[in-house]
């Protein structure tokens, strides 16, 4: 326990483990086979590397990608760990050197490509060595169900089985799907494996889905505002990558490209430049990514919608591996759906596979259209239960101003209606803008009353507007079945008719591109320069010297002694010995140039750290809160909904303490999405207005934006509050009532708590949540699905068995 923390500090310079790491490491150290499923950027490498350092003998890491291997080994070497790699990129003499190192016990961790496992020289040498662990990275590559299947992975089990002594075998992947997981367990022949699935949430990623077809404009503005940051632009096809690449290069923006149509050399050069911070924007197809572990990618833009939520999540996962805030933007237009359908069509002949892929595509489309918290939807897709909205996605935060576009929408819809047959967007645009185009005139569309009524739009703007109508479901777009080479045409649907009749409003949010959020810091820039020159000297990537997070914290706290340096996350002893003095002298020089003294910094620290964290404090106005509760009760009765489904209590409290007087301001309140504002907004505003006037309250509205809300000084998460209450001996149902969550949710909290802390400090009787015959059914299903898969368990059981019963049975296993 202490030993692994020591190693974490000494070599990696990190102070604490991330979620799941410690348990996985301990499991491996106690000799168990392990399958660990953690999200991209979750910190899998460390889970096999630390045991490798603790155990006698050599750890062999099997990894699919050559470039990744070199980076990992370079990173380990800079930390002072003896590591080497074997793959096809090595020259014969380098290869012999590695073999010699193994022979001389000078290699603690060996990375190897799977196709090299059969090499005779290697086998001869390794036969007489003590192998402590075989770690299989990107283990999903063994499964044909995954998207990165590699034939050479099938060789791994033979290699393992032919060893005289079977070492501990561990497998790591970010792919969560059940089929893939089963394949890994079976095909790798793990023995009594412990399976760890850590949460899939990546809190530092801001998920932003933009429904707009003004993609280029958005992209250019975004890049303009984020010039110095590293980012990836993903596009669906090679052609699209080339187009974006050309477009940006033409504007003198430094970009790289990467796709399967380029030569190996070109791809490698491109990737190296990106990793070494020579050029900071990469345009790529999904061929790019698995081979890079670059931790400081600040944004990922999807220029097209990806094919599935798995793909999407894996791709955005490449942002912010270092845990720093990063942004993920999906630019959606309805044509993307057609592109992806086409790609599925040509990718496989296998009908059942095709239909699985279509389903996955549909779920991705549903996500895009969803009005609730995106993160929640994604995590639920991966089988996690999530109770609270994330407040860090564009649905939760709904930035931008809402604009009423009903009239313009009616113009478009009535034009489509009058054109009778179905046409593509371009034709509709021509008619609305009064084009004299031959096709328009031949069809007699110049006689329509809608001919030329939208001349105030440019061609591009109108196309975008129609696409936006489509992406919000006010019109449909479809391909004519059977017609070859046909282009998609526009159809009316139920929503269109309701818009036409004036039954529903069409409101769009005008998207604003966020200005660069991270402030420039002069010292940070100076430290980055130093980092770059060290990296160039040592021929390694800059992040291997120190990560962004480490430099930022140096720039904020001015460490000038060994102790202070070692206190910075990311500075371990080895790295301190290598680079510490250089960084300290730069910091000292900066401080003397700028007349900065430590004393005054320390005094200001308390203040500035508070500002850094960006909290937003609100105190409930109790009287207004009571009024709002009554209003909520009214809504609830009208819609026959439980109170908390109308609006959570905390939303009411936040409103009461902030006094929004305009509809728009409600966008800035947690828990108020566009739907809710539409339904309840006006009455809430009216209530607040009246209250403010009657009580003579001077209101000064302040935006919260992305700051973290602290209500009445309460900074604990619901989960923590619940456990504190339970530990005080308060009854489960009452806690549920207080927090406005179901008992099953509370039981979920209890379960997580037991898993973390292993014991409860209050009396808990699970048997009151189920009856005996239910228990048997539940237990059977748990065995089948695994206890983490609550939703699957519930679905496999008769309807009358409740979530809370299932949870209670699971918890009981731990406390009895
Ligand atoms: P993946 O799970 O995708 O393989 P990595 O192992 O590459 O993730 O880790 C991603 C990043 O997170 C790396 O830069 C790594 O150094 C960092 N990291 C891993 N564990 C910790 C930790 N306990 N504290 C801080 N950073 C960590
Ligand atoms: Mg990895």
């Amino acid at each position: 326990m202490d030993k692994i923390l020591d190693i974490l500090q000494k070599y990696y310079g990190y102070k604490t483990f991330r979620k799941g790491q410690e348990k996985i490491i301990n499991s491996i150290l106690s000799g168990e086979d392990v399958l660990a499923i953690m999200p991209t950027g979750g910190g899998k490498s460390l889970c096999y590397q630390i045991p490798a350092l603790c155990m006698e003998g050599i750890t062999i890491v099997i990894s699919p990608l050559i470039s990744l291997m070199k980076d990992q080994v370079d990173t380990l070497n800079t930390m002072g760990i003896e590591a080497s790699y074997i793959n096809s990129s090595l020259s014969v003499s380098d290869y012999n050197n590695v073999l010699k190192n193994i022979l001389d016990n000078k290699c603690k961790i060996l990375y190897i490509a799977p196709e090299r496992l059969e090499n005779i020289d290697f086998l001869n040498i390794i036969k007489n060595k003590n192998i402590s662990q075989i770690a299989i990275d990107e283990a999903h590559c063994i499964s044909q169900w995954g998207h990165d299947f590699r034939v050479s992975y099938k060789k791994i089990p033979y290699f393992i089985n032919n060893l005289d002594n079977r070492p501990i075998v561990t497998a790591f992947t970010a792919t969560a799907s059940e089929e893939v997981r089963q394949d890994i367990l079976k095909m790798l022949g793990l023995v009594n494996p412990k399976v760890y699935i850590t949460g899939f949430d990546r809190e530092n990623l801001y998920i932003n889905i933009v429904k707009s077809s003004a993609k280029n404009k958005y992209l250019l503005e975004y890049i303009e505002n984020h010039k110095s940051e590293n980012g990836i632009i993903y596009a669906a096809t090679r052609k699209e990558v080339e187009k974006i690449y050309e477009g940006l290069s033409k504007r003198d923006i430094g970009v790289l490209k990467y796709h399967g149509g380029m030569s190996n050399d070109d791809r490698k050069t491109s990737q190296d430049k990106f990793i070494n911070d020579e050029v900071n924007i990469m345009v790529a197809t999904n061929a790019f990514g698995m081979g890079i572990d670059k931790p400081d990618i600040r944004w990922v833009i999807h220029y097209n919608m990806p094919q599935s939520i798995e793909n999407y999540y894996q791709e955005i996962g490449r942002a912010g591996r270092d845990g720093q805030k990063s942004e993920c933007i999906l630019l959606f237009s309805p044509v993307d759906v057609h592109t992806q359908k086409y790609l599925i069509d040509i990718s496989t002949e296998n009908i059942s596979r095709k239909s699985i892929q279509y389903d996955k595509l549909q779920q991705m489309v549903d996500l895009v259209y969803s009005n609730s918290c995106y993160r929640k939807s994604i995590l639920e897709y991966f089988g996690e239960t999530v109770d609270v909205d994330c407040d860090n996605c564009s649905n939760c935060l709904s930035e931008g101003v809402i604009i009423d576009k009903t009239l313009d929408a009616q113009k478009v819809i009535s034009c489509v209606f009058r054109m009778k047959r179905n046409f593509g967007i371009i034709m509709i645009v021509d008619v609305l803008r009064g084009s004299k185009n031959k096709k328009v005139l031949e069809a007699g569309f110049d006689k329509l009353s809608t001919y030329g009524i939208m001349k105030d739009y440019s061609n591009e703007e109108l196309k975008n507007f129609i696409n936006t109508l489509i992406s919000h479901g006010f019109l449909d777009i479809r391909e004519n079945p059977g017609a070859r080479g046909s282009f998609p045409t526009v159809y009316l649907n139920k929503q269109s008719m309701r818009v036409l009749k004036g039954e529903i409003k069409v409101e769009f949010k005008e998207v604003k591109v966020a200005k660069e959020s991270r402030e420039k810091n002069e010292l940070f820039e100076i430290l980055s320069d130093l980092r770059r020159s060290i990296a160039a000297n040592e021929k390694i990537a800059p992040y291997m010297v120190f990560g962004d997070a480490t430099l930022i914290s140096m720039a904020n706290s001015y460490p000038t002694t060994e102790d202070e340096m070692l206190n910075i996350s990311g500075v371990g002893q080895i790295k301190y010995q290598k680079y510490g003095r250089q960084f300290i002298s730069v910091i000292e020089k900066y401080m003397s140039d700028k007349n900065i003294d430590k004393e005054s910094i320390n005094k200001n620290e308390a203040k500035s750290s508070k500002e850094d964290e960006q909290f937003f404090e609100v105190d409930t106005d109790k009287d207004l809160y009571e009024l709002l509760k009554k209003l909520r009760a009214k809504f609830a009765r009208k819609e026959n909904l439980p109170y908390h489904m109308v609006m959570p209590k905390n939303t009411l409290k936040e409103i009461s303490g902030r006094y929004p007087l305009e509809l728009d301001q409600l966008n800035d309140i947690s828990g108020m999405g566009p739907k809710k504002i539409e339904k309840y907004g006006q009455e809430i505003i009216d209530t607040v207005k009246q209250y403010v006037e009657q009580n003579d309250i001077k209101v000064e509205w302040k935006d919260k934006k992305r700051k973290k809300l602290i209500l009445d000084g309460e900074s604990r998460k619901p989960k923590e509050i619940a456990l504190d209450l339970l530990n005080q001996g308060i009854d489960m149902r009452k806690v549920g009532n207080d927090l406005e969550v179901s008992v099953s949710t509370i039981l979920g909290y209890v379960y997580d708590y037991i898993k973390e802390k292993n014991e409860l400090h209050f009396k808990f009787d699970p048997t009151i949540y189920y009856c005996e015959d239910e228990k048997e059914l539940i237990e059977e299903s748990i065995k089948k699905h695994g206890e983490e898969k609550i939703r699957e368990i519930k679905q496999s059981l008769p309807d009358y068995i409740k979530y809370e019963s299932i949870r209670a049975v699971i918890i009981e296993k731990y406390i009895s």
Side-chain angles (χ1 to χ4, degrees):
M1 170 67 210
D2 280 349
K3 187 167 175 201
I4 65 174
L5 255 181
D6 275 356
I7 291 184
L8 184 71
Q9 299 239 15
K10 177 168 167 213
Y11 290 101
Y12 298 82
Y14 299 139
K15 311 295 171 237
T16 51
F17 282 108
R18 288 208 188 135
K19 209 167 165 193
Q21 287 179 327
E22 198 173 347
K23 283 189 191 150
I24 295 169
I25 292 171
N26 281 326
S27 228
I28 299 174
L29 286 176
S30 65
E32 288 172 315
D33 279 5
V34 159
L35 165 60
I37 303 174
M38 288 166 95
T40 309
K44 289 184 277 295
S45 323
L46 212 143
C47 297
Y48 54 79
Q49 288 167 353
I50 290 188
L53 299 178
C54 292
M55 295 189 286
E56 296 258 328
I58 180 173
T59 280
I60 297 180
V61 183
I62 302 171
S63 162
L65 278 163
I66 293 175
S67 53
L68 187 111
M69 235 176 252
K70 179 170 186 314
D71 282 355
Q72 297 246 22
V73 168
D74 283 350
T75 305
L76 288 170
N77 288 338
T78 57
M79 295 189 308
I81 296 168
E82 290 178 325
S84 318
Y85 63 91
I86 296 181
N87 63 34
S88 58
S89 77
L90 287 188
S91 66
V92 175
S93 72
D94 284 343
Y95 177 54
N96 287 333
N97 268 340
V98 173
L99 292 184
K100 186 163 182 316
N101 282 343
I102 301 173
L103 209 57
D104 297 347
N105 295 327
K106 282 208 191 114
C107 175
K108 200 66 193 153
I109 304 182
L110 174 72
Y111 280 76
I112 186 165
E115 56 274 8
R116 293 272 144 167
L117 289 171
E118 297 172 320
N119 192 292
I120 298 290
D121 295 334
F122 167 70
L123 284 175
N124 278 338
I125 285 181
I126 209 75
K127 250 198 150 44
N128 302 315
K129 285 285 150 194
N130 175 10
I131 306 174
S132 57
Q133 174 190 208
I134 295 184
I136 298 138
D137 204 3
E138 315 288 353
H140 61 279
C141 290
I142 201 166
S143 168
Q144 301 214 38
W145 286 103
H147 32 78
D148 300 313
F149 171 62
R150 296 196 179 222
V151 188
S152 55
Y153 260 58
K154 299 226 163 163
K155 297 183 175 146
I156 299 172
Y158 296 106
F159 171 72
I160 297 175
N161 292 335
N162 283 328
L163 294 171
D164 291 341
N165 294 312
R166 185 182 183 280
I168 302 164
V169 180
T170 57
F172 299 84
T173 175
T175 305
S177 97
E178 186 62 35
E179 304 104 313
V180 174
R181 196 192 320 164
Q182 290 311 328
D183 268 4
I184 295 175
L185 290 173
K186 218 171 47 215
M187 301 171 86
L188 286 177
L190 298 185
V191 179
N192 295 326
K194 274 272 168 63
V195 179
Y196 292 95
I197 306 176
T198 64
F200 268 74
D201 192 10
R202 295 277 312 280
E203 288 176 19
N204 61 320
L205 302 186
Y206 170 54
I207 300 174
N208 187 356
I209 299 186
V210 180
K211 292 182 209 112
S212 149
S213 36
K215 295 184 177 187
N216 290 329
K217 180 163 170 267
Y218 190 101
L219 193 62
L220 287 172
E221 255 176 66
Y222 189 87
I223 291 176
E224 175 61 32
N225 287 326
H226 295 77
K227 271 196 188 124
S228 56
E229 296 176 6
N230 300 319
I232 305 178
I233 302 164
Y234 276 114
T237 60
R238 295 171 187 183
K239 217 167 111 195
E240 193 99 77
V241 168
E242 291 289 347
K243 223 170 69 191
I244 300 168
Y245 175 81
E246 297 287 312
L248 294 178
S249 305
K250 221 168 53 197
R251 289 177 172 80
D252 279 338
I253 297 170
V255 281
L256 298 161
K257 61 180 173 179
Y258 190 106
H259 59 68
M262 294 160 55
S263 73
N264 280 345
D265 280 351
D266 288 350
R267 276 189 303 196
K268 183 168 181 329
T269 315
S270 190
Q271 172 161 320
D272 286 350
K273 282 190 177 162
F274 186 64
I275 288 175
N276 295 327
D277 288 356
E278 283 169 46
V279 179
N280 53 19
I281 301 174
M282 173 67 90
V283 193
T285 59
N286 61 6
F288 179 73
M290 195 168 67
I292 55 153
D293 274 0
K294 192 172 170 56
D296 50 4
I297 295 170
R298 292 279 73 86
W299 53 266
V300 168
I301 292 184
H302 277 89
Y303 193 83
N304 306 108
M305 182 189 67
Q307 217 170 76
S308 69
I309 296 183
E310 277 99 345
N311 287 0
Y312 175 61
Y313 205 58
Q314 188 159 48
E315 283 156 21
I316 66 173
R318 293 180 181 130
R321 277 167 181 260
D322 53 9
Q324 298 288 102
K325 274 192 187 336
S326 307
E327 193 164 1
C328 313
I329 302 159
L330 167 57
L331 301 176
F332 173 79
S333 85
V335 221
D336 295 342
V337 186
H338 293 276
T339 313
Q340 293 299 2
K341 274 195 181 140
Y342 171 75
L343 291 174
I344 293 175
D345 256 353
I346 58 167
S347 73
T348 172
E349 289 293 316
N350 181 330
I351 308 247
S352 74
R353 225 189 134 126
K354 233 180 226 183
S355 102
I356 293 175
Q357 287 181 328
Y358 280 134
D359 285 348
K360 293 198 164 177
L361 175 61
Q362 187 54 48
Q363 279 167 310
M364 183 69 221
V365 177
D366 291 345
L367 173 74
V368 169
Y369 285 123
S370 132
N371 285 319
S372 40
C373 173
Y374 287 128
R375 189 180 312 270
K376 203 165 158 178
S377 312
I378 294 172
L379 294 175
E380 281 172 356
Y381 176 84
F382 290 123
E384 283 185 37
T385 32
V386 186
D387 300 306
V388 276
D389 289 353
C390 75
D391 260 358
N392 194 22
C393 72
S394 50
N395 265 348
C396 282
L397 295 171
S398 52
E399 281 179 19
V401 211
I402 293 181
I403 303 179
D404 189 330
K405 290 279 188 188
T406 312
L407 198 65
D408 285 349
Q410 286 171 334
K411 288 182 187 169
V412 174
I413 293 171
S414 86
C415 186
V416 175
F417 183 72
R418 277 159 221 274
M419 287 164 74
K420 300 246 164 52
R421 282 188 301 125
N422 297 98
F423 291 92
I425 295 180
I426 298 179
M427 184 71 154
I428 300 169
V429 169
D430 279 348
V431 176
L432 283 164
R433 295 191 64 246
S435 155
K436 299 254 184 325
N437 170 327
K438 204 166 128 213
K439 271 196 194 156
V440 173
L441 300 181
E442 269 174 17
F445 288 149
D446 53 336
K447 310 271 165 3
L448 296 180
S449 59
T450 50
Y451 180 74
I453 55 172
M454 292 187 85
K455 284 188 179 144
D456 49 332
Y457 275 73
S458 75
N459 204 37
E460 195 57 28
E461 281 168 355
L462 191 50
K463 222 165 77 189
N464 287 337
F465 179 61
I466 296 177
N467 267 321
T468 313
L469 287 173
I470 295 169
S471 61
H472 282 76
F474 294 112
L475 284 169
D476 279 349
I477 191 161
R478 263 179 266 152
E479 222 142 346
N480 299 336
R484 274 189 54 195
S486 74
F487 53 93
T489 53
V490 178
Y491 288 77
L492 298 177
N493 61 22
K494 276 198 193 124
Q495 291 293 85
S496 332
M497 300 322 285
R498 295 185 64 200
V499 172
L500 211 51
K501 288 187 204 147
E503 288 171 8
I504 44 174
K505 274 205 220 166
V506 176
E507 289 179 323
F508 293 146
K509 220 172 293 154
E510 194 101 302
V511 229
K512 281 185 280 187
V513 179
K515 283 265 172 313
E516 187 149 20
S517 48
R518 282 158 286 277
E519 273 174 47
K520 287 270 166 307
N521 173 317
E522 202 181 357
L523 180 53
F524 174 76
E525 303 288 327
I526 296 173
L527 296 173
S528 310
D529 286 344
L530 174 59
R531 168 173 72 175
R532 203 165 314 142
S533 74
I534 294 177
N537 258 332
E538 301 197 9
K539 299 210 167 40
I540 52 176
Y543 72 78
M544 291 173 189
V545 178
F546 285 127
D548 274 3
T550 305
L551 293 196
I552 289 171
S553 101
M554 284 185 198
N556 287 333
S557 63
Y558 306 97
T560 50
T561 65
E562 176 168 354
D563 275 354
E564 285 169 355
M565 264 296 177
L566 289 173
N567 245 327
I568 302 252
S569 171
V571 185
Q573 260 139 35
I574 314 289
K575 283 213 186 158
Y576 173 77
Q577 278 158 24
K578 278 198 186 166
Y579 313 122
R581 284 306 325 163
Q582 296 183 63
F583 280 86
I584 287 180
S585 62
V586 167
I587 293 170
E588 277 172 342
K589 172 161 190 315
Y590 182 82
M591 289 173 73
S592 84
D593 284 355
K594 301 270 158 180
N595 263 329
I596 299 170
D597 71 302
K598 274 260 167 66
E599 297 279 290
S600 64
I601 297 166
N602 290 341
K603 251 185 263 150
N604 285 329
E605 206 154 60
K607 206 173 108 216
S608 72
S609 78
K610 199 166 171 188
E611 281 162 15
D612 279 351
E613 281 172 315
Q614 299 247 317
F615 290 121
F616 189 91
E617 302 193 18
V618 174
D619 290 324
T620 308
D621 178 326
K622 295 228 170 56
D623 296 330
L624 179 54
Y625 174 56
E626 288 307 318
L627 292 175
L628 292 170
K629 273 209 305 208
K630 284 196 188 118
L631 187 60
R632 175 176 76 160
K634 191 183 100 184
F635 295 137
R637 273 196 305 277
K638 209 162 87 189
E639 300 192 52
N640 203 9
L641 281 175
Y643 290 171
H644 67 273
M645 298 274 279
V646 174
M647 261 172 292
K649 226 158 55 176
N650 284 353
T651 300
L652 300 184
K653 287 187 178 167
E654 188 183 340
I655 296 175
S656 81
R658 294 181 63 193
Y659 311 108
L661 298 175
E662 281 157 40
L663 266 186
D664 201 31
Q665 293 169 342
L666 288 177
N667 277 316
D668 196 45
I669 304 265
S670 312
M672 290 295 300
K675 272 271 159 62
K676 295 202 169 160
I677 297 181
E678 186 184 320
K679 275 204 264 185
Y680 316 124
Q682 198 52 54
E683 283 191 65
I684 293 176
I685 297 293
D686 291 345
T687 309
V688 176
K689 258 194 195 141
Q690 203 183 10
Y691 177 83
V692 167
E693 275 162 25
Q694 280 168 1
N695 293 282
D696 245 350
I697 296 173
K698 267 231 180 66
V699 178
E700 213 182 298
W701 176 262
K702 283 200 199 78
D703 279 334
K704 172 180 67 176
K705 294 276 166 59
R706 298 199 205 167
K707 289 185 206 129
K708 184 174 163 22
L709 174 73
I710 297 199
L711 256 181
D712 301 319
E714 176 63 81
S715 59
R716 290 172 300 175
K717 295 193 172 138
K719 192 185 225 160
E720 293 160 357
I721 304 179
L723 273 145
D724 286 349
L725 291 174
L726 291 171
N727 280 330
Q728 285 161 28
I730 296 170
D731 172 71
M732 184 108 25
R733 301 221 180 253
K734 175 152 183 355
V735 175
N737 275 338
D738 279 0
L739 296 179
E740 295 194 326
V741 294
S742 64
V743 168
S744 124
T745 299
I746 305 255
L747 288 173
Y749 296 157
V750 173
Y751 170 73
D752 290 346
Y753 183 79
I754 293 186
K755 290 212 84 169
E756 271 165 34
K757 304 263 162 63
N758 301 317
E759 63 177 322
L760 289 180
H761 296 284
F762 58 93
K763 264 246 245 352
F764 174 66
D765 178 9
T767 61
I768 60 174
Y769 299 99
Y770 58 79
C771 47
E772 269 314 303
D773 47 340
E774 286 176 358
K775 186 175 175 183
E776 243 172 65
L777 284 175
I778 295 174
E779 276 177 337
E780 240 169 66
S781 178
I782 293 174
K783 263 209 205 105
K784 191 152 152 240
H785 297 276
E787 61 182 37
E788 304 282 345
K789 289 280 178 188
I790 300 284
R791 271 212 302 190
E792 269 99 331
I793 297 174
K794 170 86 170 113
Q795 274 160 13
S796 74
L797 292 167
D799 271 352
Y800 64 85
I801 297 187
K802 295 202 226 157
Y803 271 114
E804 55 183 69
S805 316
I806 299 171
R807 288 228 140 105
V809 172
I810 293 174
I811 293 173
E812 188 170 11
K813 290 200 300 179
Y814 284 88
I815 54 177
S816 51

